[in-house]
Amino acid sequence: MEFTDDTLLFAAIGVMTLAAALLPRLLGKLPISIPMVFLAAGIIVFALIPDLPDPHPSDHPDITLHLTEICVLVSLMGAGLAINRPLRWRTWSTTWRLLAITMPLSIAAVAVLGWVGLGLGAASALLLAAALAPTDPVLATEVQVSEPVDDENADDEVRFALTSEAGLNDGLAFPFTYATIAISMVGLAPSGWFTDWFLIDVLWRITIGVIAGIGTGWLFGKLFFSAHLAGRKVVDQAEGFVAIAAIFLAYGIAETAEGYGFIAVFVCAVTIRASERGHGYHQVLHKFVEQIERLLTIAVIVLLGGAIARGLFADIGWIEILVALIILLIVRPLAGWIGLTPGKTGPRERSVIAFFGVRGVGSLFYIAYATQNGYFPDGDQLWSIVGLVIVGSIIIHGLAATPTMRLIDTTRHRITRRRGGDHTDVATTPV
């Protein structure tokens, strides 16, 4: 019997897919996340099978771009469908603070670190900051909203804030990325790029993304929750494929009109969720999206592990490690605390939200997109440092998520009981 690298690869894919299905239950409450397991698996597989292609992202730019793009799109739909809280200015105030204050502060701080600490050029330093702006709670599932339920007050402030922030900042990082591309081509002087950037890349593209998302979500809501179609049991037959249709339709319409498709997909999901909020079909959609999201995320993480095994971190030194730790342990927590103070969150919630700025697949997408559309001579260094930050986030946030959320949930229950509340008041009790 002869085993080839190809047959071993197929077997490895089968084992990893099976593990993706079983690990969430097997790991239980252990402080080990699924991305940690598959990152290690990717490193081991590519180290033991030397004939596998080198998965360094710069060697496969198109595959990297589109794989991460689809992964982000699916995760945005999943985030939007999971959120139970209706979209209102006051109830989403924590999200607005994270986007309007924490995100710009983080971008400014990381840009300075890239320029001063890593010696990157202006455009590359800004790209590093823009790419590390999006957060991705998928890589630490304990800190995200789990599933759609009937109760619109079911989402506690920590999980809601981190999920809604990730849903919107994936799209809002795009204007900063476009700015870095423009700077890489015409220089830092604002006279060469600022006007077009502000009018088109900020105002026009964001507006179109929101409109496309609302329109597509409204259409799907009317299509599948109208009384006429409900009588024909269209929803029962459609299963979860509707979510995929919504993803690509919202994204395609927005991108065709030169808008931000990432924003459109998340807004579309939130709009669909607002249609017949108590309908059980939302759970069908979310479960289907969640399974696809898990497979895509695992594929990206395994390939990232493979790139590490093949030398992605070959030029990483103590300076890069120090910068990555500063980004994860100082910049985000400090910017998060500033953005949320004062606010309706309690001090413990504020600390947890500020700390869990998980970096993930979105960062890889923005590096892939910018390096294909701009001029960044520091491209390989950018891939290395972004990969290092993501690995650090997977390890640090993955280890901390379960015990941290268990502690804050226990504290919230205790405070609720002390105040005379019942189980329906737990999620809304600030701690």
Side-chain angles (χ1 to χ4, degrees), residues 70-94:
I70 294 173
C71 188
V72 170
L73 290 173
V74 173
S75 70
L76 291 174
M77 178 59 68
L81 290 173
I83 293 174
N84 297 297
R85 190 177 301 186
L87 178 58
R88 301 188 184 102
W89 182 257
R90 294 190 64 180
T91 57
W92 283 50
S93 61
T94 303

Side-chain angles (χ1 to χ4, degrees), residues 73-389:
L73 290 173
V74 173
S75 70
L76 291 174
M77 178 59 68
L81 290 173
I83 293 174
N84 297 297
R85 190 177 301 186
L87 178 58
R88 301 188 184 102
W89 182 257
R90 294 190 64 180
T91 57
W92 283 50
S93 61
T94 303
T95 309
W96 309 138
R97 286 172 170 269
L98 290 169
L99 297 174
I101 303 173
T102 299
M103 185 175 175
L105 286 176
S106 298
I107 289 175
V110 174
V112 171
L113 281 171
W115 184 37
V116 176
L118 299 176
L120 297 172
S124 295
L126 287 170
L127 175 57
L128 177 66
L132 291 175
T135 54
D136 188 0
V138 172
L139 299 186
T141 54
E142 285 291 326
V143 301
Q144 67 173 334
V145 175
S146 59
E147 62 180 356
V149 296
D150 293 344
D151 184 6
E152 65 181 41
N153 295 316
D155 301 340
D156 65 80
E157 198 63 29
V158 172
R159 292 180 174 90
F160 165 77
L162 292 172
T163 304
S164 57
E165 177 198 16
L168 285 168
N169 66 13
D170 265 314
L172 293 176
F174 238 128
F176 299 99
T177 304
Y178 273 122
T180 67
I181 293 171
I183 291 170
S184 75
M185 303 298 287
V186 302
L188 192 59
S191 59
W193 58 272
F194 182 82
T195 302
D196 288 345
W197 172 78
F198 183 73
L199 293 176
I200 299 174
D201 298 330
V202 178
L203 297 182
W204 173 263
R205 295 184 190 274
I206 291 177
T207 302
I208 293 299
V210 172
I211 293 173
I214 292 174
T216 308
W218 177 86
L219 176 64
F220 274 83
K222 289 295 182 182
L223 182 62
F224 286 94
F225 298 114
S226 68
H228 175 68
L229 291 180
R232 293 175 177 267
K233 297 184 177 180
V234 173
V235 169
D236 296 337
Q237 300 298 323
E239 297 184 345
F241 293 102
V242 172
I244 303 301
I247 290 171
F248 289 113
L249 186 59
Y251 189 69
I253 291 173
E255 291 292 322
T256 300
E258 298 294 330
Y260 290 130
F262 285 178
I263 292 177
V265 170
F266 180 73
V267 172
C268 172
V270 172
T271 306
I272 292 174
R273 186 72 182 90
S275 303
E276 296 291 333
R277 187 170 294 277
H279 201 290
Y281 187 50
H282 293 296
Q283 293 184 337
V284 175
L285 293 175
H286 180 261
K287 192 67 177 178
F288 185 80
V289 169
E290 184 182 42
Q291 291 172 339
I292 297 175
E293 175 188 33
R294 190 184 303 166
L295 284 175
L296 290 171
T297 302
I298 286 170
V300 173
I301 296 302
V302 168
L303 291 173
L304 176 61
I308 294 170
R310 297 297 175 82
L312 180 64
F313 293 166
D315 296 326
I316 290 293
W318 288 109
I319 294 296
E320 287 79 8
I321 294 174
L322 179 61
V323 167
L325 290 175
I326 291 173
I327 291 171
L328 293 171
L329 301 179
I330 297 178
V331 171
R332 162 65 190 209
L334 183 58
W337 186 269
I338 293 172
L340 297 175
T341 307
K344 66 179 183 180
T345 54
R348 298 178 186 86
E349 292 173 322
R350 196 173 306 144
S351 299
V352 174
I353 295 169
F355 176 73
F356 280 98
V358 185
R359 267 51 183 184
V361 179
S363 298
L364 298 173
F365 167 80
Y366 280 113
I367 294 293
Y369 184 89
T371 52
Q372 286 195 46
N373 291 277
Y375 176 68
F376 297 94
D378 303 310
D380 285 343
Q381 187 178 4
L382 288 170
W383 278 117
S384 297
I385 190 65
V386 167
L388 182 64
V389 172

Side-chain angles (χ1 to χ4, degrees), residues 16 37-48 301-307 309:
M16 290 180 183
V37 174
F38 284 100
L39 179 68
I43 294 173
I44 293 170
V45 168
F46 279 85
L48 294 180
I301 296 302
V302 168
L303 291 173
L304 176 61

Side-chain angles (χ1 to χ4, degrees), residues 49-67:
I49 309 179
D51 291 338
L52 288 177
D54 187 344
H56 194 293
S58 63
D59 293 340
H60 309 278
D62 291 333
I63 294 176
T64 301
L65 177 67
H66 295 304
L67 178 59

